[in-house]
Amino acid sequence: MEAVYQLGNLRVVDLTKVLDPATESRRCHLIRYNTGGPIPDYHTALDLTSHLGTHCECPYHHFEDGKSVGDLPLTTFMGRAIYVNIDFLEPNAHISAADLDRACGDRIQEGDIVILDSNWKFPPFTPATNSPEDKRLFINAESAWWFRNHKVKCVGFGDGVSIENCEADVKPFHDILMEVDIVFLEVLKNLEQLSTDTFFMSYSALPIIGADSCPVRAYAIEGLAEFSR
């Protein structure tokens, strides 16, 4: 499936995992039916988990009183994005505040979307997760506080960073960031197709009150002057 498109002077990169109900490991069932009228009128009932494919996790995912997808403003799901590929750490290293300072410098602005990645890529959420072959980098409380102090709106993850390694790392990462309505964007694909590390990004979720997360169509638009520096 094509991942890069030209739209006038703009370059659009699809960052979404393509879903195939026949092979998807998470709940993904499509039930197609004809409403039965004289004119063929097919509908599809979607039986999906909220954490399917490329999805945006919101505070209600972690807190009983957190904001659900439908409670957050539309601008939560779009904005200036920075792709940060940390290529100087050893396998299974924790990403520290100093590492983020080194990788990001002074590029991060309030309200940014930050996509973390590394050269230690491994497919997430599979039976091989956390196996000896899984060399991805780890997040923890320290990296969470760095993002919170820099007032980002979203942290996204390429296949080079794990967010499922252990409770001691993952729980505080959620606690610290989702407490202030910072959302997570997981299972991003085609990041190697980006031609710049700064771009406009959208990953709009359906505004469903009570949904803790939602599958999204995530994409980057390169070439918008306001979001390119």
Side-chain angles (χ1 to χ4, degrees):
M1 187 171 179
E2 190 172 359
V4 180
Y5 306 85
Q6 203 67 33
L7 188 65
N9 294 324
L10 302 176
R11 188 170 180 269
V12 181
V13 183
D14 191 345
L15 304 179
T16 314
K17 177 187 175 184
V18 176
L19 297 171
D20 182 351
T23 58
E24 184 58 41
S25 60
R26 290 187 168 183
R27 187 165 182 158
C28 181
H29 305 295
L30 307 184
I31 305 162
R32 189 170 187 258
Y33 61 94
N34 192 330
T35 60
I39 302 172
D41 183 17
Y42 289 97
H43 292 203
T44 304
L46 308 179
D47 180 16
L48 314 173
T49 177
S50 60
H51 293 248
L52 180 67
T54 305
H55 59 278
C56 184
E57 297 183 350
C58 300
Y60 192 49
H61 163 56
H62 194 63
F63 297 113
E64 283 293 342
D65 59 350
K67 292 180 181 176
S68 71
V69 178
D71 296 320
L72 292 165
L74 181 59
T75 50
T76 299
F77 308 103
M78 65 180 72
R80 179 180 183 262
I82 306 291
Y83 176 55
V84 180
N85 188 63
I86 300 176
D87 58 4
F88 52 82
L89 291 179
E90 294 299 313
N92 296 145
H94 284 85
I95 301 170
S96 69
D99 296 329
L100 290 168
D101 284 336
R102 175 178 172 182
C104 300
D106 58 358
R107 290 189 298 150
I108 303 300
Q109 300 174 9
E110 182 175 345
D112 274 352
I113 301 149
V114 180
I115 301 171
L116 283 181
D117 206 356
S118 80
N119 294 338
W120 305 107
K121 292 177 173 53
F122 195 81
F125 310 117
T126 70
T129 293
N130 297 329
S131 71
E133 291 77 31
D134 187 350
K135 308 295 186 184
R136 290 176 295 167
L137 303 183
F138 301 139
I139 46 78
N140 56 13
E142 182 177 346
S143 47
W145 277 114
W146 191 93
F147 289 119
R148 178 164 169 166
N149 291 335
H150 283 75
K151 299 182 178 179
V152 306
K153 72 168 66 173
C154 173
V155 182
F157 298 91
D159 283 350
V161 175
S162 171
I163 196 172
E164 71 259 45
N165 60 307
C166 69
E167 180 183 343
D169 290 336
V170 175
K171 185 179 183 302
F173 194 82
H174 284 71
D175 289 341
I176 292 163
L177 296 181
M178 289 194 166
E179 182 181 40
V180 290
D181 295 342
I182 295 171
V183 300
F184 299 167
L185 189 57
E186 298 182 12
V187 195
L188 289 166
K189 299 297 181 183
N190 303 319
L191 293 167
E192 72 282 355
Q193 300 288 342
L194 294 168
S195 65
T196 178
D197 60 9
T198 309
F199 46 88
F200 175 83
M201 185 174 185
S202 174
Y203 43 96
S204 299
L206 295 174
I208 303 173
I209 300 294
D212 71 292
S213 176
C214 187
V216 297
R217 188 71 178 264
Y219 57 90
I221 301 180
E222 299 176 344
L224 289 171
E226 184 178 351
F227 300 95
S228 300
R229 56 185 182 277

